[in-house]
mmCIF file of all heavy atoms in Angstrom:
data_model
loop_
_atom_site.group_PDB
_atom_site.id
_atom_site.type_symbol
_atom_site.label_atom_id
_atom_site.label_comp_id
_atom_site.label_asym_id
_atom_site.label_seq_id
_atom_site.Cartn_x
_atom_site.Cartn_y
_atom_site.Cartn_z
ATOM 1 N N VAL A 1 125.830 84.176 156.363
ATOM 2 C CA VAL A 1 127.262 84.172 156.699
ATOM 3 C C VAL A 1 127.529 85.164 157.828
ATOM 4 O O VAL A 1 128.297 84.873 158.753
ATOM 5 C CB VAL A 1 128.105 84.502 155.448
ATOM 6 C CG1 VAL A 1 129.561 84.681 155.804
ATOM 7 C CG2 VAL A 1 127.940 83.427 154.390
ATOM 8 N N ARG A 2 126.877 86.309 157.742
ATOM 9 C CA ARG A 2 127.054 87.328 158.789
ATOM 10 C C ARG A 2 126.516 86.821 160.114
ATOM 11 O O ARG A 2 127.133 87.030 161.163
ATOM 12 C CB ARG A 2 126.342 88.613 158.383
ATOM 13 C CG ARG A 2 126.574 89.695 159.393
ATOM 14 C CD ARG A 2 126.207 91.048 158.842
ATOM 15 N NE ARG A 2 126.605 92.055 159.814
ATOM 16 C CZ ARG A 2 125.802 92.947 160.327
ATOM 17 N NH1 ARG A 2 124.545 93.006 159.943
ATOM 18 N NH2 ARG A 2 126.242 93.810 161.206
ATOM 19 N N LEU A 3 125.373 86.154 160.113
ATOM 20 C CA LEU A 3 124.815 85.599 161.347
ATOM 21 C C LEU A 3 125.735 84.543 161.947
ATOM 22 O O LEU A 3 125.945 84.498 163.147
ATOM 23 C CB LEU A 3 123.443 84.974 161.078
ATOM 24 C CG LEU A 3 122.282 85.948 160.927
ATOM 25 C CD1 LEU A 3 121.020 85.191 160.534
ATOM 26 C CD2 LEU A 3 122.054 86.713 162.218
ATOM 27 N N GLU A 4 126.291 83.695 161.069
ATOM 28 C CA GLU A 4 127.213 82.680 161.554
ATOM 29 C C GLU A 4 128.439 83.343 162.182
ATOM 30 O O GLU A 4 128.921 82.921 163.239
ATOM 31 C CB GLU A 4 127.638 81.748 160.427
ATOM 32 C CG GLU A 4 126.569 80.774 160.004
ATOM 33 C CD GLU A 4 127.007 79.914 158.823
ATOM 34 O OE1 GLU A 4 128.136 80.112 158.308
ATOM 35 O OE2 GLU A 4 126.219 79.048 158.427
ATOM 36 N N GLY A 5 128.942 84.377 161.539
ATOM 37 C CA GLY A 5 130.091 85.121 162.067
ATOM 38 C C GLY A 5 129.753 85.757 163.411
ATOM 39 O O GLY A 5 130.551 85.717 164.352
ATOM 40 N N ASP A 6 128.571 86.370 163.520
ATOM 41 C CA ASP A 6 128.136 86.981 164.769
ATOM 42 C C ASP A 6 128.008 85.929 165.873
ATOM 43 O O ASP A 6 128.393 86.162 167.022
ATOM 44 C CB ASP A 6 126.809 87.717 164.587
ATOM 45 C CG ASP A 6 126.929 88.992 163.761
ATOM 46 O OD1 ASP A 6 128.086 89.448 163.538
ATOM 47 O OD2 ASP A 6 125.886 89.527 163.336
ATOM 48 N N LEU A 7 127.456 84.773 165.496
ATOM 49 C CA LEU A 7 127.306 83.692 166.487
ATOM 50 C C LEU A 7 128.667 83.190 166.963
ATOM 51 O O LEU A 7 128.859 82.937 168.154
ATOM 52 C CB LEU A 7 126.491 82.544 165.903
ATOM 53 C CG LEU A 7 124.986 82.799 165.799
ATOM 54 C CD1 LEU A 7 124.318 81.636 165.063
ATOM 55 C CD2 LEU A 7 124.375 82.976 167.177
ATOM 56 N N ARG A 8 129.620 83.057 166.036
ATOM 57 C CA ARG A 8 130.969 82.626 166.425
ATOM 58 C C ARG A 8 131.612 83.645 167.366
ATOM 59 O O ARG A 8 132.246 83.287 168.354
ATOM 60 C CB ARG A 8 131.843 82.429 165.192
ATOM 61 C CG ARG A 8 131.601 81.145 164.478
ATOM 62 C CD ARG A 8 132.687 80.884 163.430
ATOM 63 N NE ARG A 8 132.184 79.921 162.477
ATOM 64 C CZ ARG A 8 131.829 80.176 161.230
ATOM 65 N NH1 ARG A 8 131.931 81.391 160.748
ATOM 66 N NH2 ARG A 8 131.362 79.224 160.457
ATOM 67 N N LEU A 9 131.458 84.916 167.034
ATOM 68 C CA LEU A 9 132.004 85.985 167.871
ATOM 69 C C LEU A 9 131.370 85.956 169.259
ATOM 70 O O LEU A 9 132.059 86.041 170.275
ATOM 71 C CB LEU A 9 131.783 87.348 167.205
ATOM 72 C CG LEU A 9 132.279 88.562 167.997
ATOM 73 C CD1 LEU A 9 133.791 88.480 168.198
ATOM 74 C CD2 LEU A 9 131.901 89.850 167.266
ATOM 75 N N MET A 10 130.051 85.829 169.290
ATOM 76 C CA MET A 10 129.350 85.774 170.588
ATOM 77 C C MET A 10 129.808 84.553 171.383
ATOM 78 O O MET A 10 130.010 84.630 172.599
ATOM 79 C CB MET A 10 127.839 85.726 170.375
ATOM 80 C CG MET A 10 127.254 87.056 169.935
ATOM 81 S SD MET A 10 125.484 86.947 169.550
ATOM 82 C CE MET A 10 124.801 86.333 171.050
ATOM 83 N N TYR A 11 129.993 83.428 170.703
ATOM 84 C CA TYR A 11 130.439 82.203 171.370
ATOM 85 C C TYR A 11 131.833 82.412 171.966
ATOM 86 O O TYR A 11 132.086 82.060 173.118
ATOM 87 C CB TYR A 11 130.437 81.031 170.381
ATOM 88 C CG TYR A 11 130.995 79.772 170.964
ATOM 89 C CD1 TYR A 11 130.258 79.005 171.867
ATOM 90 C CD2 TYR A 11 132.284 79.349 170.625
ATOM 91 C CE1 TYR A 11 130.784 77.848 172.417
ATOM 92 C CE2 TYR A 11 132.814 78.195 171.168
ATOM 93 C CZ TYR A 11 132.074 77.443 172.065
ATOM 94 O OH TYR A 11 132.599 76.313 172.602
ATOM 95 N N ARG A 12 132.742 82.993 171.174
ATOM 96 C CA ARG A 12 134.100 83.239 171.672
ATOM 97 C C ARG A 12 134.085 84.194 172.848
ATOM 98 O O ARG A 12 134.789 83.983 173.839
ATOM 99 C CB ARG A 12 134.989 83.799 170.554
ATOM 100 C CG ARG A 12 135.625 82.688 169.729
ATOM 101 C CD ARG A 12 136.666 83.241 168.781
ATOM 102 N NE ARG A 12 136.100 83.102 167.430
ATOM 103 C CZ ARG A 12 135.957 84.073 166.548
ATOM 104 N NH1 ARG A 12 136.382 85.274 166.820
ATOM 105 N NH2 ARG A 12 135.401 83.847 165.378
ATOM 106 N N GLN A 13 133.274 85.254 172.753
ATOM 107 C CA GLN A 13 133.187 86.210 173.851
ATOM 108 C C GLN A 13 132.627 85.525 175.106
ATOM 109 O O GLN A 13 133.133 85.738 176.220
ATOM 110 C CB GLN A 13 132.316 87.410 173.462
ATOM 111 C CG GLN A 13 132.969 88.328 172.465
ATOM 112 C CD GLN A 13 132.016 89.423 171.979
ATOM 113 O OE1 GLN A 13 130.810 89.321 172.128
ATOM 114 N NE2 GLN A 13 132.589 90.459 171.396
ATOM 115 N N HIS A 14 131.607 84.728 174.932
ATOM 116 C CA HIS A 14 131.012 84.007 176.055
ATOM 117 C C HIS A 14 132.036 83.047 176.675
ATOM 118 O O HIS A 14 132.155 82.944 177.898
ATOM 119 C CB HIS A 14 129.764 83.241 175.600
ATOM 120 C CG HIS A 14 129.154 82.407 176.662
ATOM 121 N ND1 HIS A 14 128.532 82.941 177.767
ATOM 122 C CD2 HIS A 14 129.099 81.049 176.808
ATOM 123 C CE1 HIS A 14 128.123 81.950 178.547
ATOM 124 N NE2 HIS A 14 128.442 80.794 177.981
ATOM 125 N N LYS A 15 132.776 82.364 175.796
ATOM 126 C CA LYS A 15 133.792 81.433 176.267
ATOM 127 C C LYS A 15 134.869 82.181 177.060
ATOM 128 O O LYS A 15 135.288 81.741 178.131
ATOM 129 C CB LYS A 15 134.419 80.735 175.057
ATOM 130 C CG LYS A 15 134.942 79.364 175.329
ATOM 131 C CD LYS A 15 135.166 78.628 174.024
ATOM 132 C CE LYS A 15 136.600 78.220 173.917
ATOM 133 N NZ LYS A 15 136.920 77.485 172.726
ATOM 134 N N ASP A 16 135.297 83.339 176.544
ATOM 135 C CA ASP A 16 136.286 84.162 177.253
ATOM 136 C C ASP A 16 135.721 84.669 178.578
ATOM 137 O O ASP A 16 136.419 84.680 179.595
ATOM 138 C CB ASP A 16 136.724 85.351 176.390
ATOM 139 C CG ASP A 16 137.570 84.926 175.186
ATOM 140 O OD1 ASP A 16 138.075 83.786 175.196
ATOM 141 O OD2 ASP A 16 137.701 85.736 174.252
ATOM 142 N N ASP A 17 134.460 85.092 178.563
ATOM 143 C CA ASP A 17 133.816 85.550 179.796
ATOM 144 C C ASP A 17 133.753 84.419 180.825
ATOM 145 O O ASP A 17 134.007 84.623 182.018
ATOM 146 C CB ASP A 17 132.400 86.074 179.522
ATOM 147 C CG ASP A 17 132.394 87.388 178.749
ATOM 148 O OD1 ASP A 17 133.464 88.034 178.653
ATOM 149 O OD2 ASP A 17 131.318 87.751 178.228
ATOM 150 N N MET A 18 133.407 83.221 180.366
ATOM 151 C CA MET A 18 133.324 82.069 181.260
ATOM 152 C C MET A 18 134.703 81.710 181.820
ATOM 153 O O MET A 18 134.847 81.394 182.993
ATOM 154 C CB MET A 18 132.728 80.853 180.541
ATOM 155 C CG MET A 18 131.230 80.932 180.355
ATOM 156 S SD MET A 18 130.331 81.028 181.922
ATOM 157 C CE MET A 18 130.702 79.447 182.613
ATOM 158 N N ARG A 19 135.704 81.783 180.971
ATOM 159 C CA ARG A 19 137.068 81.497 181.404
ATOM 160 C C ARG A 19 137.483 82.500 182.486
ATOM 161 O O ARG A 19 138.063 82.132 183.509
ATOM 162 C CB ARG A 19 138.021 81.552 180.213
ATOM 163 C CG ARG A 19 139.356 80.896 180.473
ATOM 164 C CD ARG A 19 140.242 80.846 179.224
ATOM 165 N NE ARG A 19 139.582 80.113 178.139
ATOM 166 C CZ ARG A 19 139.441 80.580 176.894
ATOM 167 N NH1 ARG A 19 139.898 81.764 176.570
ATOM 168 N NH2 ARG A 19 138.842 79.865 175.975
ATOM 169 N N GLY A 20 137.176 83.776 182.259
ATOM 170 C CA GLY A 20 137.495 84.807 183.246
ATOM 171 C C GLY A 20 136.734 84.613 184.545
ATOM 172 O O GLY A 20 137.298 84.738 185.637
ATOM 173 N N ALA A 21 135.449 84.290 184.435
ATOM 174 C CA ALA A 21 134.640 84.063 185.630
ATOM 175 C C ALA A 21 135.134 82.844 186.400
ATOM 176 O O ALA A 21 135.209 82.861 187.631
ATOM 177 C CB ALA A 21 133.169 83.895 185.246
ATOM 178 N N THR A 22 135.505 81.807 185.680
ATOM 179 C CA THR A 22 136.036 80.606 186.325
ATOM 180 C C THR A 22 137.340 80.915 187.046
ATOM 181 O O THR A 22 137.556 80.486 188.183
ATOM 182 C CB THR A 22 136.247 79.487 185.281
ATOM 183 O OG1 THR A 22 134.994 79.181 184.681
ATOM 184 C CG2 THR A 22 136.835 78.243 185.907
ATOM 185 N N SER A 23 138.184 81.682 186.404
ATOM 186 C CA SER A 23 139.456 82.063 187.015
ATOM 187 C C SER A 23 139.222 82.896 188.276
ATOM 188 O O SER A 23 139.855 82.665 189.305
ATOM 189 C CB SER A 23 140.293 82.855 186.008
ATOM 190 O OG SER A 23 141.481 83.298 186.602
ATOM 191 N N ARG A 24 138.304 83.852 188.196
ATOM 192 C CA ARG A 24 137.997 84.678 189.385
ATOM 193 C C ARG A 24 137.425 83.828 190.506
ATOM 194 O O ARG A 24 137.757 84.013 191.673
ATOM 195 C CB ARG A 24 137.041 85.808 189.010
ATOM 196 C CG ARG A 24 137.683 86.911 188.195
ATOM 197 C CD ARG A 24 136.778 88.117 188.051
ATOM 198 N NE ARG A 24 135.498 87.820 187.422
ATOM 199 C CZ ARG A 24 135.276 87.747 186.119
ATOM 200 N NH1 ARG A 24 136.286 87.936 185.272
ATOM 201 N NH2 ARG A 24 134.076 87.491 185.641
ATOM 202 N N TYR A 25 136.575 82.878 190.144
ATOM 203 C CA TYR A 25 135.998 81.977 191.148
ATOM 204 C C TYR A 25 137.094 81.154 191.830
ATOM 205 O O TYR A 25 137.121 81.006 193.046
ATOM 206 C CB TYR A 25 134.964 81.053 190.498
ATOM 207 C CG TYR A 25 134.491 79.976 191.432
ATOM 208 C CD1 TYR A 25 133.524 80.236 192.389
ATOM 209 C CD2 TYR A 25 135.044 78.697 191.365
ATOM 210 C CE1 TYR A 25 133.100 79.242 193.255
ATOM 211 C CE2 TYR A 25 134.624 77.706 192.230
ATOM 212 C CZ TYR A 25 133.651 77.980 193.179
ATOM 213 O OH TYR A 25 133.245 77.010 194.033
ATOM 214 N N GLN A 26 138.011 80.611 191.035
ATOM 215 C CA GLN A 26 139.089 79.793 191.598
ATOM 216 C C GLN A 26 139.997 80.626 192.498
ATOM 217 O O GLN A 26 140.425 80.164 193.557
ATOM 218 C CB GLN A 26 139.890 79.132 190.476
ATOM 219 C CG GLN A 26 139.111 78.042 189.778
ATOM 220 C CD GLN A 26 139.800 77.542 188.518
ATOM 221 O OE1 GLN A 26 140.677 78.193 187.959
ATOM 222 N NE2 GLN A 26 139.395 76.362 188.061
ATOM 223 N N GLU A 27 140.280 81.860 192.103
ATOM 224 C CA GLU A 27 141.090 82.751 192.929
ATOM 225 C C GLU A 27 140.368 83.070 194.240
ATOM 226 O O GLU A 27 140.982 83.064 195.307
ATOM 227 C CB GLU A 27 141.407 84.040 192.176
ATOM 228 C CG GLU A 27 142.373 83.850 191.020
ATOM 229 C CD GLU A 27 142.450 85.073 190.116
ATOM 230 O OE1 GLU A 27 141.815 86.105 190.416
ATOM 231 O OE2 GLU A 27 143.138 84.983 189.088
ATOM 232 N N ALA A 28 139.069 83.324 194.155
ATOM 233 C CA ALA A 28 138.288 83.615 195.364
ATOM 234 C C ALA A 28 138.231 82.386 196.272
ATOM 235 O O ALA A 28 138.352 82.500 197.494
ATOM 236 C CB ALA A 28 136.881 84.065 194.991
ATOM 237 N N ALA A 29 138.088 81.221 195.699
ATOM 238 C CA ALA A 29 138.061 79.985 196.485
ATOM 239 C C ALA A 29 139.399 79.780 197.182
ATOM 240 O O ALA A 29 139.445 79.366 198.351
ATOM 241 C CB ALA A 29 137.720 78.793 195.596
ATOM 242 N N ALA A 30 140.490 80.070 196.497
ATOM 243 C CA ALA A 30 141.825 79.938 197.101
ATOM 244 C C ALA A 30 141.980 80.923 198.257
ATOM 245 O O ALA A 30 142.506 80.556 199.313
ATOM 246 C CB ALA A 30 142.912 80.159 196.048
ATOM 247 N N ARG A 31 141.509 82.156 198.064
ATOM 248 C CA ARG A 31 141.575 83.146 199.148
ATOM 249 C C ARG A 31 140.738 82.705 200.333
ATOM 250 O O ARG A 31 141.137 82.856 201.492
ATOM 251 C CB ARG A 31 141.130 84.520 198.650
ATOM 252 C CG ARG A 31 142.174 85.238 197.818
ATOM 253 C CD ARG A 31 141.820 86.704 197.591
ATOM 254 N NE ARG A 31 140.538 86.902 196.938
ATOM 255 C CZ ARG A 31 140.349 86.945 195.626
ATOM 256 N NH1 ARG A 31 141.369 86.797 194.817
ATOM 257 N NH2 ARG A 31 139.153 87.149 195.125
ATOM 258 N N CYS A 32 139.569 82.143 200.061
ATOM 259 C CA CYS A 32 138.700 81.637 201.130
ATOM 260 C C CYS A 32 139.384 80.528 201.913
ATOM 261 O O CYS A 32 139.283 80.464 203.144
ATOM 262 C CB CYS A 32 137.373 81.143 200.566
ATOM 263 S SG CYS A 32 136.239 82.474 200.148
ATOM 264 N N THR A 33 140.085 79.665 201.220
ATOM 265 C CA THR A 33 140.806 78.581 201.878
ATOM 266 C C THR A 33 141.880 79.138 202.811
ATOM 267 O O THR A 33 142.017 78.696 203.952
ATOM 268 C CB THR A 33 141.440 77.635 200.830
ATOM 269 O OG1 THR A 33 140.388 77.104 200.014
ATOM 270 C CG2 THR A 33 142.210 76.518 201.476
ATOM 271 N N VAL A 34 142.616 80.132 202.321
ATOM 272 C CA VAL A 34 143.661 80.759 203.136
ATOM 273 C C VAL A 34 143.031 81.436 204.345
ATOM 274 O O VAL A 34 143.500 81.285 205.482
ATOM 275 C CB VAL A 34 144.483 81.775 202.306
ATOM 276 C CG1 VAL A 34 145.372 82.626 203.189
ATOM 277 C CG2 VAL A 34 145.311 81.045 201.255
ATOM 278 N N LEU A 35 141.957 82.192 204.120
ATOM 279 C CA LEU A 35 141.297 82.884 205.231
ATOM 280 C C LEU A 35 140.713 81.898 206.232
ATOM 281 O O LEU A 35 140.759 82.130 207.443
ATOM 282 C CB LEU A 35 140.203 83.814 204.700
ATOM 283 C CG LEU A 35 140.713 85.038 203.943
ATOM 284 C CD1 LEU A 35 139.530 85.810 203.344
ATOM 285 C CD2 LEU A 35 141.538 85.940 204.836
ATOM 286 N N SER A 36 140.186 80.802 205.762
ATOM 287 C CA SER A 36 139.640 79.777 206.642
ATOM 288 C C SER A 36 140.734 79.197 207.528
ATOM 289 O O SER A 36 140.533 78.991 208.723
ATOM 290 C CB SER A 36 138.971 78.690 205.812
ATOM 291 O OG SER A 36 138.435 77.709 206.650
ATOM 292 N N ALA A 37 141.894 78.944 206.952
ATOM 293 C CA ALA A 37 143.028 78.422 207.732
ATOM 294 C C ALA A 37 143.474 79.447 208.772
ATOM 295 O O ALA A 37 143.751 79.096 209.919
ATOM 296 C CB ALA A 37 144.181 78.059 206.800
ATOM 297 N N ARG A 38 143.530 80.712 208.382
ATOM 298 C CA ARG A 38 143.897 81.770 209.345
ATOM 299 C C ARG A 38 142.888 81.850 210.476
ATOM 300 O O ARG A 38 143.254 82.004 211.628
ATOM 301 C CB ARG A 38 143.978 83.129 208.639
ATOM 302 C CG ARG A 38 145.195 83.298 207.799
ATOM 303 C CD ARG A 38 145.212 84.681 207.173
ATOM 304 N NE ARG A 38 146.271 84.824 206.215
ATOM 305 C CZ ARG A 38 146.388 85.838 205.389
ATOM 306 N NH1 ARG A 38 145.496 86.808 205.402
ATOM 307 N NH2 ARG A 38 147.390 85.898 204.548
ATOM 308 N N CYS A 39 141.626 81.755 210.125
ATOM 309 C CA CYS A 39 140.554 81.796 211.135
ATOM 310 C C CYS A 39 140.713 80.633 212.117
ATOM 311 O O CYS A 39 140.551 80.818 213.319
ATOM 312 C CB CYS A 39 139.188 81.707 210.465
ATOM 313 S SG CYS A 39 138.356 83.280 210.348
ATOM 314 N N ALA A 40 140.998 79.472 211.603
ATOM 315 C CA ALA A 40 141.169 78.299 212.466
ATOM 316 C C ALA A 40 142.335 78.515 213.422
ATOM 317 O O ALA A 40 142.230 78.202 214.617
ATOM 318 C CB ALA A 40 141.395 77.045 211.612
ATOM 319 N N ARG A 41 143.446 79.060 212.917
ATOM 320 C CA ARG A 41 144.598 79.334 213.790
ATOM 321 C C ARG A 41 144.246 80.389 214.841
ATOM 322 O O ARG A 41 144.651 80.274 215.995
ATOM 323 C CB ARG A 41 145.801 79.778 212.966
ATOM 324 C CG ARG A 41 146.448 78.637 212.191
ATOM 325 C CD ARG A 41 147.807 79.011 211.635
ATOM 326 N NE ARG A 41 147.815 80.188 210.801
ATOM 327 C CZ ARG A 41 147.678 80.187 209.473
ATOM 328 N NH1 ARG A 41 147.504 79.047 208.832
ATOM 329 N NH2 ARG A 41 147.703 81.308 208.794
ATOM 330 N N GLN A 42 143.492 81.415 214.442
ATOM 331 C CA GLN A 42 143.081 82.441 215.395
ATOM 332 C C GLN A 42 142.161 81.858 216.467
ATOM 333 O O GLN A 42 142.279 82.202 217.641
ATOM 334 C CB GLN A 42 142.396 83.601 214.676
ATOM 335 C CG GLN A 42 143.354 84.463 213.894
ATOM 336 C CD GLN A 42 142.645 85.561 213.130
ATOM 337 O OE1 GLN A 42 141.431 85.564 212.987
ATOM 338 N NE2 GLN A 42 143.412 86.514 212.618
ATOM 339 N N GLN A 43 141.260 80.971 216.068
ATOM 340 C CA GLN A 43 140.370 80.338 217.040
ATOM 341 C C GLN A 43 141.171 79.491 218.024
ATOM 342 O O GLN A 43 140.881 79.483 219.215
ATOM 343 C CB GLN A 43 139.321 79.476 216.326
ATOM 344 C CG GLN A 43 138.289 80.285 215.543
ATOM 345 C CD GLN A 43 137.509 81.245 216.430
ATOM 346 O OE1 GLN A 43 137.156 80.930 217.553
ATOM 347 N NE2 GLN A 43 137.258 82.430 215.916
ATOM 348 N N GLU A 44 142.187 78.793 217.533
ATOM 349 C CA GLU A 44 143.047 78.012 218.410
ATOM 350 C C GLU A 44 143.786 78.933 219.388
ATOM 351 O O GLU A 44 143.893 78.631 220.572
ATOM 352 C CB GLU A 44 144.054 77.198 217.601
ATOM 353 C CG GLU A 44 143.453 76.040 216.839
ATOM 354 C CD GLU A 44 144.465 75.354 215.925
ATOM 355 O OE1 GLU A 44 145.681 75.644 216.022
ATOM 356 O OE2 GLU A 44 144.028 74.524 215.111
ATOM 357 N N ALA A 45 144.303 80.051 218.882
ATOM 358 C CA ALA A 45 145.018 81.002 219.728
ATOM 359 C C ALA A 45 144.076 81.586 220.789
ATOM 360 O O ALA A 45 144.457 81.743 221.949
ATOM 361 C CB ALA A 45 145.637 82.121 218.887
ATOM 362 N N LEU A 46 142.849 81.899 220.385
ATOM 363 C CA LEU A 46 141.879 82.420 221.347
ATOM 364 C C LEU A 46 141.546 81.386 222.419
ATOM 365 O O LEU A 46 141.424 81.727 223.609
ATOM 366 C CB LEU A 46 140.603 82.860 220.633
ATOM 367 C CG LEU A 46 140.682 84.187 219.896
ATOM 368 C CD1 LEU A 46 139.416 84.397 219.059
ATOM 369 C CD2 LEU A 46 140.854 85.343 220.862
#
C-alpha cells in the first residue's frame, strides 16, 4: 500500500513537473515568435 501511495505521489509530481515544463516551453515558443517577428521588421527597416 505504501509503495502504491509512493508511486501515485511520484506520478502526480511528474505530471505536475511535465505540466510546468510544457507551460514554460509554450511561453518560450510564444516569445520566440514575437522576437522572430521583431527581427523580420528590423531586417526590413535595415
